[in-house]
Amino acid sequence: MRNTQNVRLRNRLPLALLAAAVTVGALATAGLPGCGDRGSGGNPDGGGGPAGGGSGEFPPGGITFPWPVFDGKLPDVPVASGGQTWYADAQNGSDGNDGTTFATAKKTLGAIITGGKLKAGDTILLGGGVYREYPQWSNGPSGKAGAPITVGSYGRGTGAPILDGGVKPATWTRYTDAGQKNVWVSSTAGTKVAPKTPVLGIYVGNGKNEYALREVIHGQVAKYPNDSLPPNETQTNIADSSNKFFYDAAAEKVYADFGGTLGDGDPNGADVSLLYDSYNSGRGHDNLIYLGKGHDYFTFIGLTIRASSWSGVYTESNGHTFEHCDLKFNGGAAILFSYSGTELGNGNTVRLSRIWMNILNNWPRFNNDNTSGGWPAAIAWSSQSNGLSEGNVSYLNGGEGMTVGNSDLAGKVSSNNVVRHNIVFDNFSVNMYVNNTANVLIEQNFVFQHPRDDAQTFDNLFAVSRGYSEDYGRRITPPNVVLGDEPGSAYDQQAHLANITVINNIIAGGKFHFLDYDDGTQGPDHHGLKGCVIANNTWVLGATPVPGQTGYGWLHLVSTDNSMASLIQNNVFVTATSDDQFAHVGKAIGPGIDQDYNLYAGPGQWSNDTTPVDFSAWKATHSTWDQHSITGDAALGDLSEFSQTVTQKLVYDWSKATPQASSRALGAGTSLPMVTTDFTGAARASGSKDLGALAKP
């Protein structure tokens, strides 16, 4: 397999931008639904105990959405309609079988991929269980347009098929040298985990809940710049129920506390995977599903993809589809669609899938010195065209939640991608990011952020380091939506952002909503909103402050503005405190943006560069802006919904942003030809001029 770093030369976002996540241990101990493995059919590795049972249903708490999203249900994928169907059964199969029936199933997926008989149009059905393998996809066939190779869940009562790239630990024994009762130790000798490939993360599930253990601080975190850091730790510092682990490379032993999920339970009867750090071996990252150039047209349905050393999925090919998949607890990205040579990737789709708690390389947040960038996005269409992200849920990842963008090194610009009906929240640095790309439609998404949770990082890091607390720490309360150009850090050194349409989205919670920026373009093409439409969105800031920061609805952060022919209209901006800014523009603001017909509600203010102003002064300064915009009561319902903590409510109720009969948002806008429906997909009345994402019925 070729070396695939899967880390772009980007993410050098100004520190004013960054953030994200939520304590997975808290999710586990709170007993929230939606954290299970959709059932695995019992005992997939032949050991004692379950291998991840929970319902996996999403969203929890009775929240429903007006369009289909990931729901955790396991599909029974049908047999091939025009080709051969092959079967694998991790629990009872044998690679000596022919694999043509479930009764004669092979044991491994790899045996089918590289067996020489698989062809375009065939289907592979996987019975429930854990498949601990890295199939050699490059040694197998490619699908074809109209005849993809389908890899799906057999289901039919057997449980969920789990592709797991981790190492099953040897026997765990109790470690009590420092007085603990529930800390355990296991040898890694003879496994893929070794001093040069240390433990990157630990996944644990008990059939109802699952989460990742947190690596202790042990010298891998840089000071900022001369502030103190919490003291380094070893196994002696792991407390009971701390959910921490430490890898002793010299002794080749891993120490772990499982109390957050297992309590006093024995991890030998649980579902545990050790993620190994393949990159440090010098051979490059290991990716669980790697589809290189020429390996096109694969369809994956109903699979759990977890515990990869690096990416769960990495492609440099075209025409792939992922549906009803659960991608989680991978060391790097969940899915990275990239490109090869001089051709952009094309036609890659992810639908109705969950992308959560990936990029464990960055867990706890700022682990492995992840402070100034270099981490991957959780799910990314990088140098891709004609991609689709629809009905997915992306949350709690250690990098951007969902990214579309990038040109290639020759300046070919990704374009014509669609991001629709997704739920994105609590990711690290940015929730939804569009970068250096053109012709993207972002519509009817729910993007939100819980209040900052200091438990996302190392214990006491924010308490002992003001720099981490106020500067780096803002990355765990990220901007919700970012349109940017990063030509200074990657690709062809030019700014290509253009023709981005952002309509009918609800963006709520947190303190940073819509940001457009560049990283210091070297020119001659500078960043700006070029042919962009930001219309009929509802932006509701949360009430919980971020230390040392000012919240904003829109921040235009550029040094040289090249905006042209763009609209910011028919939006509802709701602030929570007098320190919040409805809009903040720098000195470089140009004439190419038509900002008008918006509603500004709440006690916030506006800002010209560093000068706060009221609405009258704002309009006077920008003579063509907001001349038809209004201030007043948005009357959207109970907006306290969007300031609840993650333990109070994992998924916010989007309907709390519905305008009531007294709302000034109703009928106060202008008709825009590109906005014919609302957040729910319902048609807006003919000539409707309602502001925000939700129109009156």
Side-chain angles (χ1 to χ4, degrees):
M1 180 183 296
R2 61 167 288 184
N3 292 346
T4 49
Q5 296 258 352
N6 197 1
V7 177
R8 296 170 291 168
L9 297 176
R10 52 166 306 279
N11 288 319
R12 298 177 186 174
L13 296 177
L15 293 179
L17 321 184
L18 304 173
V22 182
T23 307
V24 177
L27 298 185
T29 55
L32 294 171
C35 296
D37 243 335
R38 299 189 289 176
S40 66
N43 206 352
D45 271 336
S55 67
E57 293 177 1
F58 193 98
I63 304 298
T64 59
F65 285 84
W67 14 259
V69 296
F70 172 85
D71 59 12
K73 295 179 180 178
L74 182 68
D76 294 343
V77 176
V79 299
S81 59
Q84 174 69 46
T85 300
W86 305 92
Y87 298 86
D89 181 359
Q91 299 186 69
N92 301 305
S94 170
D95 284 346
N97 292 338
D98 64 14
T100 58
T101 69
F102 193 65
T104 60
K106 292 187 177 293
K107 186 174 184 63
T108 66
L109 171 60
I112 300 175
I113 295 292
T114 60
K117 296 183 178 180
L118 183 68
K119 61 183 184 300
D122 285 359
T123 291
I124 304 171
L125 296 183
L126 305 180
V130 177
Y131 296 78
R132 294 188 190 272
E133 53 179 309
Y134 283 81
Q136 296 301 302
W137 302 88
S138 59
N139 293 331
S142 172
K144 297 180 181 179
I149 294 174
T150 298
V151 184
S153 56
Y154 177 67
R156 297 162 176 82
T158 66
I162 302 168
L163 307 188
D164 187 298
V167 171
K168 182 176 175 59
T171 302
W172 294 95
T173 58
R174 288 188 188 273
Y175 170 78
T176 59
D177 291 8
Q180 303 99 323
K181 296 181 179 179
N182 291 313
V183 176
W184 298 77
V185 60
S186 180
S187 173
T188 62
T191 72
K192 289 183 178 180
V193 174
K196 289 187 177 181
T197 54
V199 177
L200 184 67
I202 300 179
Y203 165 86
V204 57
N206 72 342
K208 294 182 179 179
N209 303 303
E210 55 186 347
Y211 66 97
L213 301 188
R214 301 194 307 162
E215 187 171 11
V216 303
I217 189 168
H218 57 91
Q220 77 274 38
V221 181
K223 289 186 177 182
Y224 179 82
N226 295 309
D227 290 356
S228 298
L229 290 173
N232 287 334
E233 298 176 324
T234 67
Q235 69 271 23
T236 61
N237 305 109
I238 300 177
D240 290 332
S241 298
S242 64
N243 306 323
K244 292 183 179 181
F245 80 88
F246 172 71
Y247 177 63
D248 185 340
E252 295 191 78
K253 292 182 178 180
V254 60
Y255 299 81
D257 168 71
F258 299 98
T261 290
L262 306 180
D264 294 335
D266 187 337
N268 292 295
D271 184 15
V272 180
S273 279
L274 306 181
L275 282 70
Y276 62 96
D277 189 352
S278 60
Y279 183 64
N280 283 349
S281 69
R283 68 174 185 268
H285 288 306
D286 288 348
N287 303 305
L288 195 52
I289 295 177
Y290 171 71
L291 299 170
K293 185 176 182 179
H295 281 71
D296 302 316
Y297 298 104
F298 277 78
T299 296
F300 299 87
I301 306 174
L303 306 183
T304 293
I305 301 169
R306 75 175 197 204
S308 176
S309 170
W310 197 241
S311 291
V313 178
Y314 178 83
T315 79
E316 294 180 345
S317 44
N318 310 307
H320 303 306
T321 297
F322 292 80
E323 292 189 3
H324 299 283
C325 290
D326 201 3
L327 300 109
K328 56 195 179 185
F329 301 97
N330 293 293
I335 302 178
L336 173 57
F337 296 117
S338 190
Y339 73 104
S340 177
T342 60
E343 298 298 324
L344 300 178
N346 187 68
N348 291 310
T349 293
V350 184
R351 298 184 64 251
L352 305 173
S353 295
R354 178 165 64 171
I355 301 96
W356 74 293
M357 207 57 204
N358 296 284
I359 317 173
L360 290 186
N361 180 60
N362 200 5
W363 179 247
R365 307 310 177 214
F366 311 114
N367 197 27
N368 295 308
D369 202 19
N370 282 312
T371 52
S372 59
W375 54 82
I379 180 169
W381 283 258
S382 180
S383 300
Q384 301 283 306
S385 292
N386 303 304
L388 173 64
S389 175
E390 185 175 55
N392 303 301
V393 185
S394 179
Y395 64 110
L396 284 170
N397 298 289
E400 294 89 343
M402 189 169 292
T403 298
V404 175
N406 301 328
S407 58
D408 74 359
L409 293 173
K412 294 181 180 178
V413 182
S414 62
S415 62
N416 301 324
N417 295 293
V418 175
V419 181
R420 176 191 295 126
H421 298 168
N422 299 286
I423 305 168
V424 184
F425 65 97
D426 290 359
N427 298 287
F428 183 87
S429 87
V430 177
N431 275 321
M432 184 175 288
Y433 186 39
V434 178
N435 171 53
N436 216 264
T437 186
N439 304 322
V440 178
L441 174 61
I442 302 173
E443 67 173 352
Q444 298 169 346
N445 300 284
F446 185 35
V447 185
F448 65 92
Q449 181 67 34
H450 288 96
R452 169 168 141 164
D453 180 359
D454 291 3
Q456 284 297 293
T457 189
F458 296 96
D459 296 343
N460 301 314
L461 178 61
F462 288 170
V464 301
S465 173
R466 180 175 179 177
Y468 272 96
S469 178
E470 295 185 359
D471 201 343
Y472 287 147
R474 75 191 69 191
R475 300 181 187 183
I476 60 172
T477 310
N480 278 317
V481 177
V482 177
L483 306 186
D485 282 304
E486 292 190 32
S489 61
Y491 301 98
D492 67 340
Q493 310 301 307
Q494 303 300 316
H496 295 292
L497 187 89
N499 302 322
I500 312 300
T501 300
V502 183
I503 56 175
N504 287 325
N505 302 281
I506 296 177
I507 299 91
K511 279 296 187 182
F512 316 121
H513 274 358
F514 167 42
L515 169 75
D516 78 283
Y517 91 104
D518 70 1
D519 63 356
T521 307
Q522 304 303 306
D525 295 327
H526 291 276
H527 169 80
L529 298 179
K530 305 166 188 174
C532 296
V533 176
I534 316 298
N536 284 99
N537 304 288
T538 298
W539 314 80
V540 182
L541 273 69
T544 305
V546 176
Q549 312 303 319
T550 299
Y552 57 80
W554 171 41
L555 175 59
H556 187 65
L557 188 66
V558 297
S559 57
T560 302
D561 184 20
N562 199 25
S563 295
M564 60 186 72
S566 293
L567 302 177
I568 301 179
Q569 295 187 357
N570 283 5
N571 297 282
V572 175
F573 292 97
V574 182
T575 57
T577 71
S578 59
D579 292 332
D580 293 334
Q581 298 171 344
F582 291 111
H584 181 173
V585 298
K587 294 178 180 178
I589 189 69
I593 300 174
D594 184 356
Q595 176 160 312
D596 206 354
Y597 295 100
N598 299 299
L599 169 61
Y600 301 105
Q605 55 191 327
W606 293 256
S607 181
N608 292 316
D609 196 20
T610 59
T611 305
V613 296
D614 63 16
F615 193 39
S616 296
W618 170 260
K619 291 192 292 183
T621 305
H622 308 282
S623 60
T624 63
W625 281 11
D626 284 322
Q627 300 307 305
H628 301 93
S629 297
I630 58 176
T631 60
D633 188 2
L636 298 184
D638 184 7
L639 297 186
S640 65
E641 172 79 6
F642 305 122
S643 294
Q644 295 191 75
T645 66
V646 67
T647 53
Q648 291 173 316
K649 200 158 198 179
L650 178 63
V651 177
Y652 289 147
D653 183 351
W654 60 270
S655 70
K656 300 296 184 181
T658 303
Q660 308 302 301
S662 61
S663 174
R664 296 209 66 193
L666 299 178
T670 186
S671 296
L672 297 173
M674 72 289 294
V675 183
T676 59
T677 62
D678 73 355
F679 174 82
T680 68
R684 292 180 183 256
S686 178
S688 171
K689 297 182 179 181
D690 293 342
L691 306 182
L694 289 162
K696 60 185 174 184

